[in-house]
Amino acid sequence: MAMPADPDTDAARLRETMAKALAEDGVLGDPAWRAAVEAVPRHRFVPGFYLPADERDGQGLTVWEPVTAELDYGRWLAAAYSDITLITQFDSDEPDWKQPAARHGGVPTSSSTLPSLVLQMWADADLHEGHTVLEIGTGTGYSTALACQRLGSTDITSIEVDPHRLETAASALYGCGYTPTLAVADGLYGYWPQARYDRIVAACSFRAVPPALLAQARPGGKILLTLSGWLYGYARVLLTVAENGTAEGPLLPGTISFMSARTHAAPALGNPAHWAAGLPDKSRIARHSPDRINAATDEAFHLRFLAQSAVPHAQLTMVGNIVHLVDVVTGSAAALTPNTGTWEVREGGPVPLWERIERLLDAYDAAGRPGPEAFKLHVYDNGQHLTHPLMPALPLPRPSA
């Protein structure tokens, strides 16, 4: 379908429809945020993106179809004003949107986050007029534009590690009349030139809270970020920074996820068969099924995050029906094999990976299977720990910055 000369007219109607739907879903309780959604033209921030095809390819990989106004104007504009995440980059490989090609599999490395989640993040961070804000992960710039529309551009700083991504976002932001402070920078180190901030909000996930963010927040300031590890378990935390530079705050409910900060991404683990070949022949019956952390449930999502505290360097993969745990830091491994209603586990190396996860699951069950909001994160000079009144403290990995 040919693209009309000016899609803004069609977009205005779609924006109103999206804002109405988000309000009906309870996402837009604040009229000022609704006005921002109705004003910010998301389509200008996503000239091209990928959507999954209905069927996988012959190797079972997801086929990601490029979508642009030139290829299919109706599909492009409708998706831009749908409450979905739009993938804009895979494997840090910048697409040529003038001649885009389909992708088969791959790891998303940049996206325009679904509007409801963007709004939830800004709302959870408790933003108010006059706050100085650092956004980590500019991405397409759409979330930045919403903050600028709501609070004004003067006190908004947004950083992005990918120079091309930031250049594209800057063009869209400035073209829409928004003028936040923008910089190419690694979110691990925040952005000192504009510090200190009343609010720091990260649109990527970290293995642990970067110390630089605490140092750049004002006393009483708040930091909202997503924590995730190499087991791909996620939790959001809202920290309040104290006068002495420490911070604490609760985990927030929900099951959302963000892409890892690139310097915190999981390393390649190699061939699971090589790791399994080095395990002892002797096995034992597992006390807990790996389904406890693998199932498609909210509790399993939460447990996978907690399990990372027990085995912070472990990664999990499945080959056939065998579950492999691999720790590239210590050289430890475990393999779980189903056997007539039970699971047999073999473990090797200095860290008994599945045994540690089972101990955590025992403590979790004994504590009454508490949800995320029952846990609090404490960040101080010597480390970072999750606490719950009825469970042992769970350490996060030592931050790398």
Side-chain angles (χ1 to χ4, degrees):
M1 180 177 179
M3 183 179 70
D6 182 9
D8 289 344
T9 302
D10 291 338
R13 175 179 53 81
L14 291 172
R15 273 200 305 280
E16 289 181 6
T17 301
M18 183 174 75
K20 181 180 178 182
L22 291 172
E24 290 174 350
D25 289 342
V27 176
L28 284 176
D30 184 340
W33 282 114
R34 178 166 182 167
V37 172
E38 291 175 343
V40 176
R42 191 187 188 200
H43 67 280
R44 293 204 192 173
F45 296 88
V46 286
F49 48 84
Y50 295 97
L51 292 177
D54 292 335
E55 296 182 1
R56 294 176 178 265
D57 67 11
Q59 295 180 311
L61 298 174
T62 300
V63 178
W64 294 93
E65 298 174 338
V67 180
T68 65
E70 290 76 16
L71 289 172
D72 189 333
Y73 171 74
R75 188 185 189 195
W76 167 73
L77 200 59
Y81 291 101
S82 299
D83 190 30
I84 58 175
T85 292
L86 303 173
I87 306 299
T88 55
Q89 186 191 75
F90 286 91
D91 302 315
S92 302
D93 180 19
E94 192 60 35
D96 178 2
W97 291 117
K98 294 181 179 179
Q99 294 182 310
R103 301 278 309 206
H104 291 249
V107 178
T109 48
S110 190
S111 67
S112 177
T113 303
L114 66 161
S116 61
L117 177 52
V118 171
L119 292 161
Q120 182 181 346
M121 293 290 286
W122 287 133
D124 287 342
D126 191 27
L127 267 62
H128 296 289
E129 285 79 1
H131 278 164
T132 52
V133 179
L134 173 64
E135 177 190 37
I136 297 172
T138 313
T140 65
Y142 176 66
S143 61
T144 318
L146 288 173
C148 290
Q149 181 69 34
R150 171 69 175 84
L151 301 175
S153 300
T154 303
D155 294 324
I156 306 294
T157 298
S158 186
I159 61 174
E160 168 62 48
V161 72
D162 186 320
H164 187 88
R165 288 280 93 206
L166 189 71
E167 181 181 359
T168 303
S171 296
L173 285 162
Y174 298 152
C176 293
Y178 304 116
T179 56
T181 299
L182 301 174
V184 175
D186 188 332
L188 202 62
Y189 305 99
Y191 196 62
W192 282 103
Q194 300 299 114
R196 293 188 171 187
Y197 306 100
D198 296 298
R199 298 290 186 269
I200 297 176
V201 178
C204 60
S205 63
F206 297 98
R207 296 184 74 204
V209 181
L213 302 188
L214 269 66
Q216 291 174 29
R218 298 183 195 279
K222 296 183 179 180
I223 301 173
L224 177 67
L225 78 167
T226 302
L227 298 170
S228 71
W230 295 347
L231 288 180
Y232 297 102
Y234 298 84
R236 288 187 310 144
V237 63
L238 181 62
L239 295 168
T240 300
V241 179
E243 290 277 355
N244 62 2
T246 63
E248 65 177 43
L251 300 188
L252 302 181
T255 56
I256 67 168
S257 59
F258 278 109
M259 298 170 192
S260 294
R262 296 188 187 184
T263 44
H264 277 198
L269 57 81
N271 186 336
H274 297 167
W275 291 88
L279 294 175
D281 294 332
K282 185 177 180 180
S283 66
R284 65 174 177 84
I285 301 299
R287 298 198 310 278
H288 293 277
S289 162
D291 292 339
R292 292 289 306 272
I293 62 172
N294 267 346
T297 64
D298 288 354
E299 184 179 65
F301 187 96
H302 172 47
L303 281 174
R304 188 182 283 242
F305 172 74
L306 296 180
Q308 292 167 166
S309 296
V311 287
H313 306 303
Q315 297 180 65
L316 184 149
T317 187
M318 289 193 68
V319 179
N321 61 355
I322 300 177
V323 177
H324 295 268
L325 282 166
V326 172
D327 183 332
V328 301
V329 175
T330 68
S332 305
L336 290 100
T337 306
N339 183 11
T340 61
T342 62
W343 288 82
E344 294 185 358
V345 58
R346 296 185 297 137
E347 296 178 288
V351 179
L353 299 176
W354 191 247
E355 173 62 28
R356 284 197 177 181
I357 291 177
E358 288 186 314
R359 275 186 253 147
L360 181 140
L361 293 173
D362 290 341
Y364 173 79
D365 291 343
R369 302 168 76 164
E373 59 278 7
F375 290 82
K376 183 175 284 188
L377 179 64
H378 305 263
V379 184
Y380 44 91
D381 287 343
N382 295 324
Q384 305 182 15
H385 284 79
L386 286 166
T387 62
H388 181 276
L390 301 178
M391 291 181 64
L394 303 173
L396 267 60
R398 295 288 297 179
S400 55

